[in-house]
Amino acid sequence: MTVPETTAAVDGATGPEALRPHAEDAFADELKALAAADDRPRPARWRLSPWAVATYLQGGTLPDGTVITPKYVGPRRLIEVAVTTLATDRALLLLGVPGTAKTWVSEHLAAAVSGDSTLLVQGTAGTPEEAVRYGWNYARLLAQGPSREALVPSPLMRAMSEGMTARVEELTRIPADVQDSLITILSEKTLPIPELGQEVQAVRGFNVIATANDRDRGVNELSSALRRRFNTVVLPLPATPDAEVDIVSRRVDQIGRSLDLPAAPEGLLEIRRVVTVFRELRDGVTTDGRTKLKSPSGTLSTAEAISVVTNGLALAAHFGDGILRPADVAAGILGAVVRDPAADRVVWQEYLETVVRERDGWKDFYRACREASV
């Protein structure tokens, strides 16, 4: 078998070749411009001041004319509270329903504060305690016995040692006994290593950003002891249709550029239709408030709208004329809405016939959705 002359398979792509660059790489120019213009006080080991971090998240224009694109479209006060929390000794918990940009905000906060968003623990039902504390290189452990050289630090342990921001995704997915291993880290800022009779003390600049889905209540709820160690910021769904259309358009445009897809503004009408459908079914009422609707079992989040539109753009690019049209998004909407083949299909058909069919200017969209539903 011939091996391609590339190291990407081993080392991974970097820079423009990465399919999905880390935030600190994708927005390196903006972070550099903010650092150069930032003359405000910075907490220990922070790359930017709290004001500059909030500006990076919310967007703005610097004195030299550099435009900082918004990473999060929502209440600025929420971002200010989140940033301020990280500047204290309290950890930050970003809570919200699926698709409210918790992971996205977490990554960009870490990138702006520490310049590194990769110190990440991904929470699952199988996350072991070693992922939070530390593990061992068993070859060295067997050969040399317990030693610092045989110890494999977790992302949190590295963050403590280097004064960085660590991230814990889907905290409530992690088993309760593993969650509790965070308590000493967050309260005492210390990680004991009893096998060596040592400990790692967090240096200034260390903090933790955790995310949790508030629909996962009852999975592995946080103990009161652990919850007290966090300041909680609830990220809401977009307040208005225009705000959600703006979010979807921006993210689809960013994703599309990395995939060489057509520009999102070419399909702004279809983006608005997708957002309208998702919001109405999510809220259980039409935009004008006149018609009550049944809601399907899925969340129909902004993230899912982004996925539907991105897939539609790919269809338009590879099997159409490059312009997003109703037929390009119809199948994606059907897949997002109909999660329960029995109950959700009834909800979708009723919505098509009572709302979409009668809406002015939506005949082509109605036909495309009907064809996709067959």
Side-chain angles (χ1 to χ4, degrees):
M1 181 178 69
T2 302
V3 179
E5 294 184 3
T6 177
T7 61
V10 177
D11 299 326
T14 58
E17 290 301 314
L19 180 60
R20 202 287 201 180
H22 298 302
E24 58 270 23
D25 297 324
F27 297 93
D29 291 342
E30 292 187 15
L31 290 167
K32 183 178 179 181
L34 273 165
D38 186 13
D39 59 358
R40 303 190 183 210
R42 304 179 188 184
R45 293 181 177 82
W46 278 39
R47 298 293 186 91
L48 301 171
S49 69
W51 171 86
V53 173
T55 301
Y56 170 72
L57 266 293
Q58 292 271 274
T61 302
L62 301 182
D64 65 359
T66 301
V67 175
I68 306 300
T69 58
K71 316 304 179 301
Y72 175 74
V73 178
R76 183 178 180 89
R77 198 59 175 174
L78 287 180
I79 297 301
E80 292 175 345
V81 170
V83 174
T84 302
T85 295
L86 294 176
T88 71
D89 65 347
R90 299 278 289 181
L92 172 65
L93 176 62
L94 299 176
L95 186 67
V97 299
T100 48
K102 300 181 296 296
T103 297
W104 181 250
V105 171
S106 167
E107 179 185 358
H108 282 282
L109 282 172
V113 170
S114 297
D116 186 349
S117 63
T118 64
L119 297 177
L120 170 68
V121 175
Q122 179 60 58
T124 69
T127 299
E129 189 173 352
E130 289 81 0
V132 175
R133 300 179 72 241
Y134 53 83
W136 296 97
N137 179 326
Y138 287 102
R140 282 196 169 188
L141 185 65
L142 291 173
Q144 305 170 4
S147 66
R148 287 301 287 263
E149 290 72 25
L151 187 146
V152 179
S154 70
L156 272 90
M157 186 175 180
R158 285 185 53 201
M160 293 176 72
S161 301
E162 300 171 21
M164 305 278 277
T165 303
R167 300 165 55 210
V168 180
E169 290 294 318
E170 302 291 353
L171 180 58
T172 51
R173 293 280 179 183
I174 298 176
D177 58 331
V178 180
Q179 288 180 12
D180 287 345
S181 63
L182 281 169
I183 293 177
T184 300
I185 295 174
L186 297 182
S187 59
E188 304 298 329
K189 311 302 180 188
T190 299
L191 176 57
I193 311 175
E195 297 91 340
L196 303 179
Q198 299 176 10
E199 66 179 14
V200 174
Q201 289 189 321
V203 301
R204 294 181 65 190
F206 165 72
N207 214 325
V208 175
I209 306 172
T211 67
N213 176 352
D214 67 2
R215 292 197 178 183
D216 282 343
R217 291 172 183 165
V219 178
N220 292 304
E221 291 193 36
L222 303 185
S223 66
S224 59
L226 182 56
R227 186 175 284 276
R228 287 198 305 271
R229 270 66 183 184
F230 286 99
N231 276 352
T232 301
V233 171
V234 179
L235 298 184
L237 289 164
T240 66
D242 286 344
E244 191 161 4
V245 168
D246 184 36
I247 293 168
V248 174
S249 298
R250 288 179 184 276
R251 282 296 293 133
V252 167
D253 187 53
Q254 291 168 353
I255 296 170
R257 284 200 303 270
S258 70
L259 300 176
D260 297 323
L261 297 178
E266 292 293 330
L268 190 58
L269 174 60
E270 300 312 323
I271 293 176
R272 187 169 290 279
R273 280 174 169 165
V274 171
V275 168
T276 299
V277 170
F278 275 33
R279 289 183 71 91
E280 289 184 332
L281 287 173
R282 192 168 67 210
D283 296 341
V285 64
T286 54
T287 304
D288 58 14
R290 295 179 180 177
T291 306
K292 297 288 185 181
L293 304 170
K294 297 175 183 176
S295 293
S297 59
T299 58
L300 300 182
S301 67
T302 307
E304 289 170 293
I306 291 168
S307 178
V308 167
V309 175
T310 301
N311 190 68
L313 280 174
L315 282 171
H318 300 302
F319 299 100
D321 59 4
I323 297 176
L324 191 65
R325 301 187 188 281
D328 300 318
V329 298
I333 292 176
L334 178 66
V337 174
V338 182
R339 298 295 176 86
D340 181 329
D344 290 345
R345 187 170 290 277
V346 172
V347 171
W348 176 237
Q349 292 294 341
E350 185 176 309
Y351 177 73
L352 278 181
E353 299 303 326
T354 60
V355 178
V356 176
R357 183 179 182 179
E358 305 301 323
R359 187 164 276 163
D360 290 342
W362 282 46
K363 295 300 182 186
D364 53 348
F365 184 80
Y366 169 74
R367 286 192 295 268
C369 289
R370 284 282 298 171
E371 290 174 6
S373 301
V374 174

